[in-house]
Every structure is written in structure tokens, then in C-alpha cells.
């Protein structure tokens, strides 16, 4: 009996130890059960046509873009007015058009909007021989009844002119525009147009993040590599859909579509290379000279979103969506004490992935923990913008604008 007990006790102890280790391991590798942010959702508007972006004025007005229609406002009294774009707008734009992923995309208000009434949009234009994406500045009267003073401040952002093996015209245009509350300059995200050499070509503005002043001139401190267009802040990007500024450090972060692998969130630095280079290496051939969905290397490995072999000093991503691509779209930091334990997390929207994910970062900007916004309808999340009331506003492709409020308040 004694001998039997001495054999059993170590076995029980070993089994308990294994159970404890498995439990500890699971807790370390799997999201905790509370890793979900519960928010209260209200539908603010519905029936819109491909809403793409939002901006709030100090008076409470909400400006919003619809890709094929233009820029509109919902005034504080609830009236809705088409301000700029298609026929019937307060200011019509004959050159405005939509095609593929392009049209009336980002919108931003000047940091001094209350005084100067300047609004900026990113739109497709057919002025001139080749179609372009451009940043257009407008002046909107205080009653939103008059729009004037159109000035196209960045006129030479490349546009994919025609269909090729990889997709239709108007693909990969980028299109988010945001003023940094830290340096006051306008950041403009662009796309690679399914064009192999474009992201690493420092003479052209596709596959870049630009940083300009309110007249479209290069901002000081861009540190563009010698000989490059001085408006370029970072280069080597694929199709940047979101840009946000860390609430403490002011550092800009970009969110970017991957090509079937590796959607990326990347902390940026002036003059940095995002490491995307879909041009074929010597001896490699790709349809339409674009290797974005295949391999740019002789060894046949997929073209990486951040190619540290070609560019050892490339900007390192903070997060790569677990090696998959789900149409990562906008991003914004949650700011303000009402977000409680979630204050300072980055909210990231997904199109095909149809969710809002939350990233917690360390001091270096690397993601250390993720969570999701719980119980949202599975919709394509196109725009995430904080409102003046502290809530998070969301535009979805299906035509709604939602207001999300922290239920734990
Ligand atoms: Ca990259």
C-alpha cells in the first residue's frame, strides 16, 4: 500500500503541474475574456451613398463625404446640404468624378476653421489630360449656404488610369487627410495605383504620405531623401487608408491594406521608407510590371509589405494583423478619460474584416495587446472619427453613420 502511494502521489503532482502550466500558458497566449470593449451604438444617419469620411466643426456641424456624390454637411439644426461635388451642390465641380476606389474621399477641417472656414477634401479630378487625385481647399460660409475660394493645393497625386491584370481604373488611391494637432500640418495618404516602381519613386506622389501646409507647400522637417519631392514625408507604402496621431507623443501612425497578407499599422518617422516595393527584381517578370500580388524576388516568396532585405532601415510595423489581409481601413486613437482603461488605445477599422479592433502599444509604438469592439453589426468600417462629444463616429459602406459611446461611463 505504501509503495503504491509513493508511485501515485508523484503522478498526481505531475498532472497538477501540467494543468497549471497549460492554464498559465493559455492565459498568456489567448485574449482574456474581458478583452472586448462594450459600446452603446446609435445610428445617426442612414441611406447615404458610400460615405467615406467625416469631420466635425466647432459649432457641432458634421461634414461628410460620399464617394460618388461629394461633400455634404449636417448643420447643427439637422438640415443636410450638398456643399461641393455633383450637380446641385452649393458649389458644383465639373471635373469631379468617381471610378473604382476613387472619388470624394477624405475630408479635414483647418485647425483654425472657426476663424478661416477652410475645408479640405481629397478627390478624383479629370482636369487636364490625365486623371489625378488632388487635395482641394474650399471656404465655407458660417451658415453653410455659400462655398467659394476653391484652391487645388496638391494637384499631382497619381491616379490609376486604366484596367490592367490587377484591377480596374481608380484602384489604390489612398485618400485619408488629417491635420496633426501637434504640428499643425496636413498629412495626405496616397496609394500605389498597381504601379510597380511608384512607391519607391521619390519624384512622384503615389504610395506615399505627404506632409504639407494649408497651401499645399512642403512642410518643414519632412527629411525627404535628397532629390525627392519635398512634400513626401514617408514613402514605400501600398495603399494607406488611415492616419492618426499618438495622443502623448504626437507620432503619426498609418494603417495600410496588405496584398492578401499583412495589413499593417506603422509608426512613422520623417523621411522613412515603409518598405513596400512591388517592382520586379532583375530577372523577375510580373504582369503589368506589378509584383504586388505575386513575388518581386527570384526565390518566389510573396512581395513583403516591409522588405527588410531590400531596405534594412525600413519603418517597422507596430502590428501586422496576424499575417492576413482583411482590408484594414481607418485608424484613430481613443482620447479622453471617459474611455477609462481604453484611453490611448488605437482603434482600427476593417472593410472585409468587418470589425473594429483595438491596439494597445508600448512606449516605442509596438502593439502589445489587442481587443475588439464587442457586438457590432458586421459591416465594412470606412471612417472612424472622434466627435466633439467624445463619442466615436463610424461611417460604414452600407450607408450609415454610427455613434459609439463607452457603455461603462
Ligand atoms: Ca511597410
Amino acid at each position: 500500500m505504501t509503495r503504491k502511494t509513493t508511485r501515485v502521489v508523484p503522478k498526481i503532482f505531475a498532472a497538477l503541474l501540467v494543468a497549471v502550466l497549460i492554464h498559465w500558458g493559455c492565459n498568456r497566449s489567448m485574449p482574456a475574456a474581458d478583452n472586448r470593449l462594450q459600446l452603446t451604438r446609435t445610428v445617426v444617419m442612414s441611406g447615404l451613398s458610400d460615405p467615406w469620411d467625416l469631420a466635425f466643426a466647432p459649432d457641432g456641424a458634421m461634414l461628410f463625404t460620399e464617394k460618388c456624390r461629394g461633400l455634404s454637411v449636417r448643420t447643427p439644426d439637422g438640415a443636410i446640404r450638398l456643399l461641393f461635388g455633383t450637380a446641385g451642390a452649393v458649389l458644383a465641380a465639373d471635373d469631379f468624378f468617381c471610378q473604382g476606389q476613387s472619388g470624394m474621399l477624405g475630408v479635414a477641417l483647418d485647425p483654425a476653421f472657426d476663424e478661416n472656414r477652410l475645408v479640405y477634401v481629397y478627390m478624383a479630378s479629370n482636369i487636364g489630360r490625365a486623371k489625378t487625385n488632388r487635395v482641394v481647399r474650399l471656404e465655407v460660409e458660417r451658415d453653410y449656404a455659400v462655398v467659394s475660394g476653391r484652391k487645388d493645393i496638391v494637384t499631382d497625386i497619381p491616379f490609376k488610369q486604366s484596367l490592367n491584370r490587377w484591377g480596374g481604373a481608380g484602384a489604390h488611391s489612398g485618400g485619408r487627410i488629417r491635420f496633426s494637432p501637434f504640428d499643425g500640418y496636413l498629412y495626405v495618404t496616397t496609394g500605389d495605383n498597381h504601379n510597380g516602381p511608384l512607391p519607391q519613386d521619390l519624384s512622384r506622389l503615389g504610395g506615399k504620405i505627404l506632409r504639407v501646409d494649408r497651401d499645399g507647400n512642403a512642410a518643414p522637417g519632412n527629411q525627404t531623401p535628397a532629390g525627392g519631392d519635398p512634400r513626401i514625408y514617408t514613402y514605400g507604402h501600398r495603399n494607406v487608408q488611415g492616419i492618426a496621431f499618438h495622443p502623448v507623443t504626437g507620432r503619426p501612425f498609418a494603417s495600410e491594406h496588405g496584398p492578401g497578407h499583412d495589413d499593417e499599422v506603422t509608426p512613422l518617422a520623417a523621411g522613412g521608407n515603409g518598405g513596400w516595393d512591388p517592382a520586379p527584381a532583375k530577372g523577375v517578370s510580373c504582369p503589368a510590371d506589378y509584383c504586388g500580388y505575386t513575388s518581386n524576388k527570384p526565390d518566389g516568396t510573396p512581395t513583403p509589405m516591409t522588405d527588410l532585405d531590400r531596405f534594412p532601415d525600413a519603418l517597422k510595423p507596430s502590428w501586422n494583423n496576424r499575417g492576413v489581409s482583411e482590408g484594414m481601413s481607418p485608424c484613430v486613437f481613443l482620447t479622453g478619460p471617459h474611455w477609462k482603461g481604453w484611453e490611448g488605445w488605437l482603434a482600427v477599422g476593417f472593410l472585409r474584416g468587418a470589425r473594429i479592433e483595438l491596439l494597445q502599444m508600448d512606449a516605442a509604438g509596438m502593439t502589445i495587446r489587442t481587443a475588439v469592439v464587442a457586438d457590432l453589426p458586421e459591416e465594412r468600417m470606412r471612417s472612424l472619427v472622434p466627435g466633439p462629444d467624445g463619442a466615436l463616429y463610424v461611417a460604414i459602406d452600407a450607408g450609415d453613420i454610427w455613434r459609439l459611446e463607452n457603455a461603462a461611463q
Side-chain angles (χ1 to χ4, degrees), residues 12 26 54 64 119 141 175 187 237 249 263 267 279 375 402 404 406:
I12 292 171
C26 285
L54 309 171
F64 59 93
V119 177
E141 288 296 310
Y187 290 69
H237 296 289
T249 65
D263 289 327
D375 302 329
W402 300 341
L404 302 178
N406 193 356

Side-chain angles (χ1 to χ4, degrees), residues 264 274 305-306:
E264 285 184 343
M305 277 293 276
T306 302

Side-chain angles (χ1 to χ4, degrees), residues 89-103:
V90 175
L91 181 64
D94 292 342
D95 62 313
F96 163 62
F97 71 100
C98 70
Q99 187 171 24
Q101 297 166 353
S102 303

Side-chain angles (χ1 to χ4, degrees), residues 180-183 187 233 244-253 268 333:
S180 163
F182 293 85
D183 66 23
Y187 290 69
Y233 178 69
F245 304 92
H246 190 280
V248 175
T249 65
R251 187 171 189 180
F253 284 69
L268 305 176
F333 283 96

Side-chain angles (χ1 to χ4, degrees), residues 192 198-202 206-209 232 234-240 256 264 272-278 304-307 311 314-315:
D192 75 6
L198 189 53
Q200 297 291 330
D201 181 347
L202 288 162
K208 309 295 184 313
I209 296 174
I232 294 171
T234 57
Y235 62 105
H237 296 289
R238 184 172 181 272
N239 190 18
V240 183
E256 189 170 353
E264 285 184 343
N273 184 353
W276 173 246
D277 184 11
M305 277 293 276
T306 302
D307 192 336
F311 314 110
L315 298 165

